[in-house]
Structure formats: structure tokens, C-alpha cells
Amino acid sequence: MADFNDTHKAEQGQYFTEGIHKITILGVEGGTNENGKEYIEFIVGGENGEEGSARMWFTSDKAIAYTFNSIRNIFVHNAPKAKEEEAKALVNKVSNSDELVNLCNKALVGKEAWYT
């Protein structure tokens, strides 16, 4: 389990703007690969029935910050304009990767994101 600190939660500029494929989040799983590296994986579906997955990592401070910020941005994207700050605060309350996976499963399944 990766623990999050204030550096990980600091807002960063986005590496990418919205992706080119609008998708629906079908499920979220946390795990480790055969080398013991921790990840969070989003199972996604496309507008035309496509299915795929997107995996983000908790393997270094830089990777944790990128993953945390990308996921927080998905929460904000799905919040009404007036509730965006509440969405940020909700994600910022999470203290580790297990809590983040659980929050994503509760709040993001069925929601929209963009796949690059």
C-alpha cells in the first residue's frame, strides 16, 4: 500500500489535455505486478462497445503524484462546476492507495473519462 503525502497531493499541470477517446469507467482494481510494483487499474468501455484498461503506478514519488493528480482530475471532470472544489477535497482526504481504489469504486464506476 502506498501512503500519500502533501507533495503527492500538490496540484500539478496536466501532462495531457483531454484524451481522444471518451470512455466509461466500468471498474477499478488495485494490485501488484509480478515484480511487486503497486498499481491501480481502470477497466473501461468505449462508445462503440470497445473494452480496455488503463493502469497507473504507485512505484515512485513522481509516479504517485502523477497517478493521484490524474485520478483527482477525473473526479473533478465528473463533478458539476459548483461542486469541483468538493470533489478535490474528497480525493484529498484519501491517505493511501487502498483508500483511493475504494473511493474510485464507490464514486467513479459508470462515470466518464478520456483515454489517450
Side-chain angles (χ1 to χ4, degrees):
M1 169 179 55
D3 291 322
F4 302 139
N5 61 43
D6 290 340
T7 302
H8 298 138
K9 295 179 180 183
E11 289 191 46
Q12 302 174 1
Q14 292 182 322
Y15 291 94
F16 305 104
T17 57
E18 285 187 341
I20 57 173
H21 303 287
K22 187 165 114 175
I23 53 92
T24 301
I25 297 168
L26 304 175
V28 183
E29 300 172 355
T32 55
N33 70 5
E34 61 279 354
N35 296 322
K37 297 189 186 269
E38 187 178 4
Y39 62 83
I40 184 170
E41 187 166 41
F42 289 81
I43 311 306
V44 299
E47 294 178 309
N48 299 311
E50 307 93 340
E51 291 189 17
S53 63
R55 189 174 280 187
M56 291 184 274
W57 298 92
F58 300 114
T59 54
S60 68
D61 281 337
K62 188 173 183 178
I64 291 169
Y66 173 80
T67 297
F68 188 90
N69 276 268
S70 295
I71 293 170
R72 183 174 51 208
N73 286 338
I74 295 170
F75 274 83
V76 171
H77 171 77
N78 282 286
K81 189 76 173 162
K83 302 260 184 184
E84 287 180 351
E85 290 303 317
E86 287 180 39
K88 284 182 189 178
L90 177 68
V91 179
N92 283 339
K93 287 181 185 176
V94 170
S95 62
N96 61 55
S97 53
D98 289 344
E99 290 178 11
L100 186 60
V101 170
N102 290 334
L103 180 61
C104 288
N105 267 308
K106 289 178 186 174
L108 290 181
V109 172
K111 302 295 185 182
E112 173 183 279
W114 292 88
Y115 200 72
T116 300

